[in-house]
Structures are given as C-alpha cells and as structure tokens.
C-alpha cells in the first residue's frame, strides 16, 4: 500500500513524510504513524468487521482492509466520499463499503462491529458508537481534553467503556449534524 496513491498530486512529493497533508474540504490525510498506532491498538484480525469514521482519502480504511475481513467507512463530505469510493475501487479493495453520512451516529445497518476507529476529534464516545460495538470490542479515537487532544482506547465491558490514554495527537474536529450531543 502506497500513501502517494491517497495524496493529491501537488503533495505527492511529501507523501513519505510523517505529517498530515491537506486533501481538500478542510480534511487531511492523517499522519501515518497515528494511523498505524490506531490500527495496532484496535487489535483486530482477519475475522473482524470494523467501522472507520471519517473516510477522508480512504488511507486508513485501506490499511484496515488489509488486516480485517470487512471495513465499513463513513464520510460526511460528499466530494470526499465519491473520491475515496472511486479510489478504493480502482485500487482493488473489495472488502470496503464506503458510506456517505454522519458517522457520529455510527452506521447501524452493518452493526455490530469488532472495532471502531474515529479519525476526527470528539468530546466523547457517542451512545450510538457504544451500542454498535461488540462486547470486548475496542474503539480508538482522539478526545478533547482542556486545550489538547488525547488518543483514547475504549474497551466495551457490559454497559461500560474502560478508557486507556495513549498520548497526544492532532486531528480535525468531528462535525456533528445535530446540536443535542449525547455521550455514552
Ligand atoms: N481516515 C482519513 C482521515 C481523514 S480526516 C484518512 O486516512 O485519510 C477526518 C475526516 O473525517 C474528514 O474527511 C472529515 O470530513 C470527516 N468527518 C468529520 N466529521 C465527520 C462525521 N460526523 N462523519 C463522518 N465523517 C466526518
């Protein structure tokens, strides 16, 4: 898998740098070391079905698709959704379903998931994410904490999510379509 396949032409010469790069519409292709770390923390295997929130370029979805059985990825910006869908098809990924919509509600139609990855920073785990995660499954996401962002590993145990912090990160914000925010 080559990151340059996921980067706009004018940034291709920077594709191998460990930095986020703009992909238009205020989005960025994440920093490769964070993408790798998030995939590793998810602890999924070739039997897993995962939900990837914030498709962006499709890079994270592609990396997940190489490790999992099935990836469902969701993007709220139509142009990015179309671009990523075409790109992933062209690159031959047959186990990725690209969905256009608001990922803050997860994607119920394909639930439950063995793991969920969120590529945009949020105040917490939405109640839909928790509902759609299997028992013992993990959710990996960046969370706002008083002026900075922390990468969090959440493990579902019954009605609770146990949270483990994994250091500082920087992502674009998760955009929520509705004002009434409800967190698990
Ligand atoms: N995983 C992507 C990173 C994209 S940056 C990659 O590997 O390239 C985060 C993405 O989240 C942006 O494309 C942004 O449009 C999208 N996003 C923000 N809020 C969202 C929401 N509520 N639902 C789905 N996607 C969202």
């Amino acid at each position: 898998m080559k990151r340059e396949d996921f980067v706009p032409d004018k940034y291709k010469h920077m594709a191998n740098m460990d930095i986020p790069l703009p992909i238009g519409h205020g989005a960025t292709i994440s920093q490769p070391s964070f993408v790798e770390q998030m995939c590793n923390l998810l602890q999924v295997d070739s039997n897993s079905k995962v939900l990837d929130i914030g498709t962006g370029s499709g890079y994270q979805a592609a990396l997940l698709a190489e490790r999992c059985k099935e990836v469902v990825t969701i993007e709220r910006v139509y142009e990015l959704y179309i671009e990523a869908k075409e790109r992933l098809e062209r690159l031959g990924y047959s186990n990725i379903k690209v969905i256009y919509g608001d990922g803050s509600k997860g994607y119920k139609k394909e639930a439950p998931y063995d793991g969920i990855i969120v590529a945009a920073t949020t105040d917490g785990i939405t109640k839909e994410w928790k509902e759609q995660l299997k028992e013992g499954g993990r959710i990996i996401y960046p969370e706002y904490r008083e002026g900075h962002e922390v990468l969090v590993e959440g493990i579902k145990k019954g009605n609770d999510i146990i949270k483990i912090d994994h250091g500082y990160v920087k992502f674009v914000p998760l955009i929520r379509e509705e004002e009434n925010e409800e967190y698990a």
Side-chain angles (χ1 to χ4, degrees):
M1 203 183 120
K2 285 189 284 177
R3 192 173 182 238
E4 63 179 60
D5 289 337
F6 296 82
V7 164
D9 284 344
K10 66 173 173 179
Y11 295 115
K12 286 215 192 292
H13 65 291
M14 295 166 85
N16 291 328
M17 297 181 180
D18 192 26
I19 52 171
L21 292 169
I23 53 170
H25 309 278
T28 56
I29 176 171
S30 310
Q31 191 170 326
S33 53
F34 291 164
V35 177
E36 182 75 25
Q37 188 188 9
M38 290 171 90
C39 283
N40 291 342
L41 286 171
L42 205 59
Q43 293 188 33
V44 285
D45 58 31
S46 55
N47 291 315
S48 308
K49 180 174 188 175
V50 304
L51 177 64
D52 171 55
I53 297 170
T55 312
S57 67
Y59 179 76
Q60 174 113 59
L63 192 66
L64 286 167
E66 292 182 0
R67 301 183 184 189
C68 304
K69 188 169 175 202
E70 231 185 314
V71 179
V72 178
T73 181
I74 182 163
E75 172 58 54
R76 67 175 289 279
V77 176
Y78 188 73
E79 291 83 352
L80 291 174
Y81 151 76
I82 290 288
E83 249 177 68
K85 190 175 156 68
E86 286 173 358
R87 174 180 294 120
L88 292 167
E89 275 168 17
R90 182 164 24 90
L91 294 172
Y93 289 95
S94 54
N95 58 340
I96 305 178
K97 221 176 249 173
V98 189
I99 309 291
Y100 171 52
D102 177 11
S104 63
K105 293 181 164 37
Y107 189 67
K108 199 171 177 186
K109 233 169 120 181
E110 292 282 342
Y113 303 100
D114 297 288
I116 300 179
I117 276 197
V118 189
T121 308
T122 161
D123 287 329
I125 296 170
T126 69
K127 73 174 194 335
E128 290 88 351
W129 295 346
K130 184 173 149 187
E131 279 163 14
Q132 294 170 23
L133 193 58
K134 281 187 196 167
E135 173 68 18
R138 285 177 167 74
I139 175 165
I140 314 296
Y141 68 101
E143 186 177 271
Y144 288 116
R145 299 271 177 81
E146 291 150 23
H148 53 258
E149 300 165 34
V150 173
L151 187 64
V152 176
E153 168 187 6
I155 309 167
K156 184 166 170 177
K157 296 271 183 225
N159 227 358
D160 292 329
I161 301 251
I162 296 161
K163 289 186 182 181
I164 304 164
D165 289 359
H166 289 279
Y168 299 130
V169 287
K170 187 89 188 81
F171 282 84
V172 301
L174 183 82
I175 311 292
R176 303 203 57 174
E177 311 282 316
E178 284 171 23
E179 293 289 305
N180 292 338
E181 304 197 350
E182 215 178 316
Y183 294 103

